[in-house]
């Protein structure tokens, strides 16, 4: 029992030290506070036909997501905005100023993905009622 009494304070101390190491004492640059670079969207969809979505797909795609975000950022075209898990699909959202140019950068990244994409929607504005849809 004595061991357990000191474990929690040590864990809290280590967590606090880790967070402090991650913080910066310099003020955030104005660039970091800029809104997304446009309102075009590329939504990359990975459909899964199982009864429930296989969460392993998310894990398998992590490196690809990071590479896609880096490619868009380096090209100055956009960034990843998030993801969504459905019952039978996993969707990745990218936002930027030119959806077609974004897909030209993203497509080769996703061609090398460990899980094949099934559908891509290129939207002009998030509520675009007639996006260009690409299927495999």
């Amino acid at each position: 029992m004595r061991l357990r009494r000191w474990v929690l304070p040590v864990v809290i101390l280590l967590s606090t030290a880790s967070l402090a190491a991650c913080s910066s004492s310099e003020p955030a640059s104005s660039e970091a506070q800029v809104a997304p670079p446009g309102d075009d969207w590329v939504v990359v969809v990975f459909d899964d036909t199982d009864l429930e979505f296989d969460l392993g797909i998310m894990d398998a795609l992590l490196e690809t997501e990071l590479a896609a975000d880096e490619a868009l950022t380096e090209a100055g075209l956009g960034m990843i905005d998030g993801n969504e898990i459905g019952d039978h699909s996993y969707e990745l959202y990218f936002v930027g100023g030119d959806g077609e140019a974004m897909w030209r950068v993203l497509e080769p990244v996703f061609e090398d993905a460990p899980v094949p994409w099934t559908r891509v929607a290129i939207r002009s504005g998030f509520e675009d009622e007639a996006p260009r849809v690409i299927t495999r």
Side-chain angles (χ1 to χ4, degrees):
M1 285 297 201
R2 277 183 104 186
L3 180 65
R4 289 185 182 169
R5 288 184 182 167
W6 66 266
V7 170
L8 183 59
V10 169
V11 169
I12 291 171
L13 180 62
L14 291 174
S15 296
T16 304
S18 295
L19 288 174
C22 292
S23 68
S24 171
S25 60
E26 296 183 26
S29 70
S30 60
E31 289 180 34
Q33 298 172 1
V34 174
D39 196 28
D40 274 11
W41 293 83
V42 175
V43 183
V44 183
V45 181
F46 302 85
D47 287 319
D48 186 15
T49 57
D50 292 340
L51 295 178
E52 279 190 34
F53 181 75
D54 177 7
L55 292 177
I57 290 175
M58 283 178 47
D59 294 336
L61 288 170
L62 179 60
E63 292 299 319
T64 304
E65 290 178 45
L66 296 173
D69 184 48
E70 184 178 328
L72 277 182
T73 302
E74 286 180 2
L77 292 172
M79 63 188 175
I80 193 167
D81 186 66
N83 59 18
E84 185 172 287
I85 303 169
D87 286 337
H88 303 281
S89 69
Y90 180 57
E91 298 178 2
L92 295 173
Y93 294 85
F94 297 90
V95 63
D98 182 342
E100 295 293 336
M102 289 168 54
W103 179 238
R104 284 191 296 274
V105 169
L106 292 171
E107 185 175 20
V109 175
F110 283 104
E111 286 303 317
D112 293 335
V115 178
W117 58 270
T118 54
R119 183 170 26 103
V120 172
I122 301 173
R123 301 177 173 276
S124 178
F126 193 72
E127 300 297 326
D128 185 355
E129 293 184 21
R132 182 165 89 92
V133 177
I134 305 165
T135 57
R136 287 190 157 203

